[in-house]
Amino acid sequence: MVRIAIANQKGGVGKTTTAINMATALAATGWKVLLIDLDPQGNASTGLGLNQNDRVNSSYDLLVSDISLEECVTPTRVPGLDVVPATVDLSGAEVELVEFEERTHRLKKALDGADIDQWDICLIDCPPSLGLLTLNAMVAVESLLVPLQCEFFALEGLSQLLQTVERIRARFNRGLSVMGVVLTMYDRRNKLTEQVSDDVRACLGNVVFDTVIPRNVRLSEAPSHGLPALIYDHKCMGSEAYINLARELISRLPERKVAA
């Protein structure tokens, strides 16, 4: 099972929107997808139509209560897409995890001990911070997908994230890599957008995905209906962009994993 964390410590950059719609796009291509909502706000769970009553076991239980992955998984209305939902309990997990000896490896342990043959790929929606929840995700995965909003301050946040990746690689997960950076909230009418795009591509080169995610009203509307944008309006510009991004992501995976 391929494991990818969708992370950026800056909020409002489109992490959850990317997680929901990438998971849906991959499921639409025939992949069996598991999405783990690791954000205490639980927006990915809500965006997939899960009410609070549907979240019997959550990512909090997975990390803190030693409940198995299989017991925490909830099917969604999207065929081929399962989710480990988040609840408000997760907001206290960072404090509780401090008491555990292997507090940085709790999620990895849960994934390693599960029947992962049920899914082809696991996406993890991280909170907008670089705390223990995000650290658990980075230790558990092979690579990161980094949504980057096309604004000036986003570049500073990206630099901090890349430094964190280097520290985690040195101490906890030598195999961790940045699969790609995706530019979000892209507005071609805005000169700053083009400038940020040029600067990021000049700095990171091919690490930046060719596909960009435009500013799109339908992407913003979809979560209020409990649906991914690809189902809410599969013909909108945002949906088409995520379909293209999914194709590009698959092309970056090693052949053996794509074949699996």
Side-chain angles (χ1 to χ4, degrees):
M1 180 173 68
V2 180
R3 304 178 188 179
I4 302 173
I6 300 174
N8 190 327
Q9 78 275 19
K10 190 177 185 303
V13 300
K15 285 190 300 296
T16 299
T17 299
T18 297
I20 292 172
N21 288 290
M22 283 296 291
T24 303
L26 289 166
T29 64
W31 286 57
K32 293 176 291 184
V33 184
L34 175 64
L35 174 60
I36 298 178
D37 189 350
L38 214 59
D39 187 342
Q41 298 176 81
N43 290 337
S45 306
T46 302
L48 287 170
L50 268 69
N51 298 318
Q52 291 296 330
N53 294 335
D54 298 326
R55 309 176 196 187
V56 179
N57 292 324
S58 67
S59 51
Y60 169 84
D61 300 301
L62 186 66
L63 289 171
V64 177
S65 301
D66 290 321
I67 293 179
S68 70
L69 177 66
E70 289 82 0
E71 293 177 277
C72 295
V73 169
T74 300
T76 72
R77 65 182 74 180
V78 179
L81 172 56
D82 295 327
V83 63
V84 175
T87 63
V88 68
D89 293 337
L90 195 59
S91 59
E94 299 235 2
V95 176
E96 296 181 56
L97 284 171
V98 172
E99 300 178 0
F100 291 93
E101 287 187 11
E102 296 184 329
R103 54 184 175 271
T104 60
H105 288 66
R106 296 289 294 179
L107 183 58
K108 183 179 188 302
K109 180 182 177 182
L111 291 176
D112 288 348
D115 179 14
I116 58 174
D117 290 337
Q118 297 179 61
W119 304 281
D120 300 312
I121 189 166
C122 173
L123 301 179
I124 303 175
D125 183 29
C126 297
S129 69
L130 292 176
L132 266 175
L133 294 177
T134 300
L135 181 56
N136 261 271
M138 290 187 179
V139 170
V141 301
E142 302 147 342
S143 54
L144 301 180
L145 173 62
V146 183
L148 183 70
Q149 186 179 0
C150 292
E151 64 171 35
F152 176 76
F153 290 117
L155 294 174
E156 187 174 276
L158 177 62
S159 175
Q160 294 172 358
L161 179 65
L162 294 178
Q163 291 174 14
T164 300
V165 170
E166 288 300 324
R167 289 195 291 269
I168 291 173
R169 185 183 290 134
R171 294 188 58 188
F172 302 113
N173 184 0
R174 292 183 180 179
L176 182 64
S177 65
V178 177
M179 172 175 284
V181 174
V182 56
L183 299 174
T184 62
M185 304 179 191
Y186 195 93
D187 187 350
R188 297 185 186 279
R189 300 168 298 179
N190 190 326
K191 290 185 178 180
L192 179 60
T193 292
E194 294 291 346
Q195 182 180 342
V196 171
S197 175
D198 291 343
D199 289 346
V200 173
R201 293 185 188 280
C203 177
L204 299 178
N206 293 333
V207 173
V208 185
F209 286 102
D210 293 332
T211 303
V212 298
I213 308 302
R215 285 192 178 274
N216 185 248
V217 174
R218 306 300 268 178
L219 286 179
S220 303
E221 290 176 350
S224 66
H225 296 271
L227 292 170
L230 273 76
I231 294 178
Y232 179 65
D233 184 353
H234 71 278
K235 293 183 179 180
C236 73
M237 292 176 58
S239 294
E240 291 179 352
Y242 277 116
I243 291 171
N244 291 333
L245 181 62
R247 292 195 189 103
E248 198 172 347
L249 182 145
I250 291 172
S251 72
R252 295 191 179 197
L253 295 175
E255 289 185 11
R256 63 180 179 85
K257 292 180 178 177
V258 174

